[in-house]
Amino acid sequence: MQDRLPQSRSDAVLKARTGHISVLRDLLPYAWPAGRPDLRFRVVVALAALILAKAVTLAVPIAYKAVVDILAGETTPGEAAGISALGLAAIPAMLIVAYGVGRVMMIVFAQVRDVWFSSVAQNAVRQLANRTFRHLHALSLRFHLERRTGGLNRVIERGVSGVDTIMRMAVLNSIPTAVELLMIAGLVAWYFGWIYVVVVLATVAAYVWFTFAASERRIAIRRDMNESDTEAHAKAVDSLLNYETVKYFGNEDHEARRFDASIARYERAAIRTYSSLGVLNSGQAVIFTLGMAICMLLAARDVTAGALTVGGFVMINAILIQLYMPLNFMGMVYREIKQGLIDVETMFALLHEKPEIVDRPGAEPLHVTRGEIRFENVSFSYDPDRPILKNVSFEVPAGKMVAIVGPSGAGKSTIARLLFRFYELTRGRILIDGQDIRDVTQDSLRAAIGMVPQDTVLFNDTIAYNIRYGKPGATEAELREAARLAQIHDFIVTLPQGYDSLVGERGLKLSGGEKQRVAIARTILKAPPILMLDEATSALDSHTEKDIQEALERVARERTSLVIAHRLSTVVHADNINVLDKGRIAEQGTHLELLAKGGLYASLWERQREADEARERLAEVAGRDEPEPSRAAERLEDEAMAST
């Protein structure tokens, strides 16, 4: 049993490293957004507030030096005269005022910085989240069939969080910290001399080097932790989405063990992360304390030699203590930015994934005048070594209903995917009213086709929302009329909340037939000129199937309809039936014509008739008036589709 994520093409893309420089380059436009002078003004104000806050911060040690020198009597004659005039009683007040004003101004400017820049950071988060969401919908069906929903969701969550971290840390902290270090170096040089500057800069250099080196070693641990978290989340989501299957097989303990194995890997990585953080913090403290001790020894020597006042000794101590804050913060900023980059780089790798299906340059909207569909020598394969369709040619005349039938795995559903242009053809072409679907926009193509799939998955929202999804701006009257045509209105009004009833995750609160009728209703509401029905009545009982078939026939009466059918009884009235076998059109004709040929279609029909008779006999034995599906009957029906 593999506990790690499968190494599919999409997983490899998600694990690709785009590089920190590339990520920062991609983020830069969001920190200085084009076309948004209001946000750019906020960036300028935030940076100005930062510089002012740092200037005020450096003024506090200077004030302390002056006060200490006054108290120690180490003043010039002019300063002494000032003290005499002011009085010793005013000195404590000066200390309090200087300290209080400095602290308040630092906090005020910091808050101005945060408030003004928050709009820029949150705008960047929103724009990138929306860009990622749109990009995911632009990627091909192949990509999404290979993805793991839970893992992909975690990639996006961490990426969005990482964007916020990088924006705040890089713009609000990295730049002002560098500015503060330069200002401190100038202040130390002015008051104490270059020997102190050399010690301070050497301390900073050693501190930064150690921080960067230790942080780099932690990056691999962080990546491993992220991958473990992604894996655990993916397995949890996958297991919960398949809740019923887990229950059917009583595999709760098995699922818990798989989940626990992933969490255990995350646990080990998390422990390593915190251990390495302890080493990093300890090393930083040792380096800074050593540099501070050297500066204090130099200051004590100069005070003893009379080259420095006691106030100067206090000042260098205050400066070094104050220096520790941005230095320590710089280490944290670097770690957070690096970790944010790791979180963001996978999301950007996802954004750099090129959509497989794109509109050609100059693509025009599809103009449907009649709705005629033509497949011309269409060949397709998901894998080059396994062709699915081989030179398939058929026509769906305007306003007619054409069916595609055949054994399981013959390529019926692939035809539907190709018509929607979810994949590019290997050879051949598909035309709608003479227009190659590769030459028109995807939006216009899909707007012209209404789809009722075999496996209906609904949004976890209300019934009204799911029906109205076919036409988001539909009126209440249009919504209810579509539900009536789909034979589901009467059921909906019996629910306590009616059309506002929630359908649950993937529509699990509804039966298979009810979900299918919701799907039919939203396609009716869309009112497209072309209908695609992929086993549209496969989940319905015989009585409801008859009603739905009548409704679909009414809807399809003036529309071109392509029907993919498993149950041949649903397509006996089709204008033409194409029998697909092993990727080729084996037979074509009406129901009666195909029966008369005595070929594959006739064989499938006979086997399904036997399955229907078996179902009726079992129903009679059980004393039921309405035949119900049974395992034996369903097996016969499946055998009919699998046989040739």
Side-chain angles (χ1 to χ4, degrees):
M1 183 72 66
Q2 293 291 328
D3 289 328
R4 295 180 178 269
L5 292 172
Q7 296 298 314
S8 67
R9 186 177 68 88
S10 296
D11 290 328
V13 169
L14 292 180
K15 290 184 178 181
R17 308 304 179 190
T18 61
H20 296 339
I21 295 177
S22 176
V23 171
L24 290 174
R25 185 171 58 247
D26 288 336
L27 281 176
L28 185 60
Y30 297 94
W32 188 252
R36 293 295 303 271
D38 57 325
L39 294 180
R40 289 188 171 187
F41 178 69
R42 285 180 171 272
V43 173
V44 172
V45 172
L47 291 176
L50 277 168
I51 294 174
L52 289 174
K54 296 306 178 183
V56 171
T57 300
L58 291 180
V60 173
I62 298 174
Y64 272 119
K65 176 185 182 303
V67 171
V68 171
D69 284 342
I70 291 172
L71 290 173
E74 299 179 347
T75 60
T76 64
E79 290 172 338
I83 294 173
S84 177
L86 182 63
L88 292 175
I91 293 176
M94 291 173 56
L95 176 61
I96 294 172
V97 170
Y99 179 79
V101 170
R103 293 289 299 176
V104 169
M105 294 305 295
M106 283 191 300
I107 294 172
V108 168
F109 286 132
Q111 294 305 310
V112 169
R113 172 202 67 186
D114 292 343
V115 170
W116 278 76
F117 193 75
S118 63
S119 297
V120 181
Q122 293 307 311
N123 178 72
V125 169
R126 179 175 65 86
Q127 294 295 336
L128 269 172
N130 187 53
R131 176 186 167 190
T132 305
F133 184 76
R134 287 179 175 274
H135 185 72
L136 286 174
H137 281 289
L139 294 177
S140 66
L141 178 63
R142 191 192 309 272
F143 175 88
H144 286 281
L145 290 177
E146 294 174 355
R147 87 201 190 289
R148 299 188 69 162
T149 306
L152 187 59
N153 184 55
R154 289 298 283 173
V155 167
I156 297 172
E157 286 180 1
R158 286 200 306 267
V160 170
S161 176
V163 169
D164 182 54
T165 298
I166 293 171
M167 293 292 290
R168 288 186 296 102
M169 293 296 180
V171 177
L172 298 185
N173 296 299
S174 298
I175 296 175
T177 299
V179 171
E180 183 172 2
L181 288 174
L182 290 175
M183 295 172 70
I184 285 177
L187 189 66
V188 171
W190 178 263
Y191 279 95
F192 303 98
W194 288 105
I195 184 64
Y196 289 84
V197 175
V198 171
V199 173
V200 169
L201 292 181
T203 302
V204 170
Y207 187 98
V208 171
W209 172 83
F210 176 79
T211 299
F212 287 5
S215 296
E216 285 295 332
R217 286 195 293 270
R218 298 185 69 236
I219 297 306
I221 303 174
R222 177 73 179 191
R223 284 199 179 104
D224 189 40
M225 189 171 70
N226 282 354
E227 290 173 359
S228 304
D229 178 54
T230 299
E231 178 183 345
H233 192 76
K235 288 182 178 178
V237 171
D238 193 38
S239 180
L240 293 175
L241 287 176
N242 291 280
Y243 171 84
E244 291 178 280
T245 303
V246 175
K247 290 294 184 182
Y248 289 151
F249 292 92
N251 277 340
E252 293 90 343
D253 289 341
H254 170 71
E255 291 296 321
R257 286 193 298 271
R258 291 180 71 239
F259 180 71
D260 184 64
S262 299
I263 290 296
R265 181 186 167 202
Y266 176 83
E267 176 187 22
R268 292 190 296 271
I271 292 173
R272 291 171 59 204
T273 298
Y274 286 113
S275 298
S276 62
L277 179 61
V279 173
L280 175 60
N281 290 336
S282 299
Q284 289 173 334
V286 169
I287 292 172
F288 182 80
T289 302
L290 181 61
M292 183 177 181
I294 294 173
C295 283
M296 295 305 295
L297 288 173
L298 290 173
R301 182 201 63 183
D302 288 345
V303 169
T304 303
L308 192 67
T309 65
V310 175
F313 181 87
V314 173
M315 180 181 178
I316 190 63
N317 179 265
I319 288 176
L320 290 172
I321 292 176
Q322 201 155 284
L323 175 63
Y324 182 72
M325 296 174 62
L327 272 182
N328 187 56
F329 204 55
M330 180 178 286
M332 185 272 289
V333 167
Y334 178 76
R335 293 194 304 270
E336 291 296 320
I337 290 178
K338 290 288 288 186
Q339 291 172 3
L341 286 170
I342 294 169
D343 294 339
V344 171
E345 66 182 358
T346 307
M347 186 178 76
F348 271 105
L350 179 64
L351 287 172
H352 292 157
E353 169 77 0
K354 300 296 183 183
E356 182 179 341
I357 308 299
V358 295
D359 291 341
R360 289 182 174 177
E364 298 287 339
L366 175 67
H367 296 289
V368 180
T369 54
R370 301 174 63 243
E372 180 185 76
I373 304 172
R374 184 186 297 273
F375 277 62
E376 295 183 352
N377 299 315
V378 170
S379 296
F380 174 76
S381 61
Y382 297 102
D383 187 320
D385 298 329
R386 183 172 170 264
I388 303 298
L389 298 179
K390 308 166 187 176
N391 296 319
V392 172
S393 296
F394 65 89
E395 181 182 345
V396 185
K400 301 297 183 179
M401 176 183 288
V402 172
I404 306 291
V405 302
S408 297
K412 301 187 298 295
S413 294
T414 299
I415 287 178
R417 291 174 173 177
L418 293 178
L419 182 61
F420 272 90
R421 206 185 166 206
F422 289 157
Y423 298 96
E424 293 287 21
L425 304 179
T426 304
R427 286 190 303 275
R429 60 179 186 163
I430 301 173
L431 307 175
I432 296 179
D433 285 340
Q435 302 161 81
D436 193 323
I437 64 172
R438 291 171 295 189
D439 296 332
V440 300
T441 61
Q442 297 176 69
D443 289 344
S444 64
L445 170 66
R446 291 161 191 164
I449 307 174
M451 178 68 169
V452 181
Q454 177 182 6
D455 183 18
T456 300
V457 178
L458 303 181
F459 293 95
N460 189 5
D461 209 300
T462 65
I463 293 177
Y465 175 85
N466 278 281
I467 295 177
R468 192 175 271 121
Y469 202 77
K471 184 181 177 183
T475 64
E476 189 69 20
E478 291 174 324
L479 172 73
R480 292 175 179 266
E481 179 60 22
R484 288 190 184 94
L485 288 173
Q487 303 292 322
I488 195 174
H489 172 76
D490 293 341
F491 162 74
I492 296 173
V493 295
T494 63
L495 299 174
Q497 295 179 319
Y499 280 84
D500 293 327
S501 301
L502 295 173
V503 302
E505 187 78 36
R506 296 184 300 144
L508 291 178
K509 290 185 179 180
L510 302 180
S511 68
E514 290 159 358
K515 288 195 297 182
Q516 202 77 328
R517 282 177 283 181
V518 169
I520 293 170
R522 68 185 177 193
T523 302
I524 292 172
L525 189 61
K526 183 180 180 181
I530 299 172
L531 285 178
M532 167 66 70
L533 308 176
D534 186 359
E535 309 284 3
T537 60
S538 62
L540 308 178
D541 58 68
S542 59
H543 177 72
T544 305
E545 178 187 349
K546 181 176 180 295
D547 293 337
I548 295 297
Q549 281 298 128
E550 292 175 356
L552 287 174
E553 288 175 9
R554 288 197 300 271
V555 174
R557 193 161 296 157
E558 298 179 358
R559 293 182 171 89
T560 304
S561 302
L562 183 59
V563 181
I564 295 173
H566 178 80
R567 298 167 66 173
L568 303 184
S569 59
T570 63
V571 296
V572 294
H573 300 299
D575 297 292
N576 192 47
I577 300 173
N578 295 278
V579 183
L580 199 63
D581 183 32
K582 297 179 181 178
R584 300 181 185 274
I585 299 293
E587 298 174 330
Q588 284 187 348
T590 65
H591 172 68
L592 294 178
E593 290 172 348
L594 291 173
L595 287 181
K597 288 181 179 180
L600 176 58
Y601 182 86
S603 174
L604 295 174
W605 177 264
E606 181 62 24
R607 295 299 299 271
Q608 286 201 5
R609 189 181 62 80
E610 293 175 0
D612 291 339
E613 291 177 355
R615 185 182 294 110
E616 291 175 359
R617 289 195 299 270
L618 289 171
E620 290 174 359
V621 171
R624 294 190 292 267
D625 294 330
E626 175 65 28
E628 294 290 339
S630 67
R631 292 182 181 177
E634 289 177 351
R635 186 172 64 251
L636 284 172
E637 193 167 338
D638 290 340
E639 290 174 356
M641 288 295 96
S643 68
T644 57

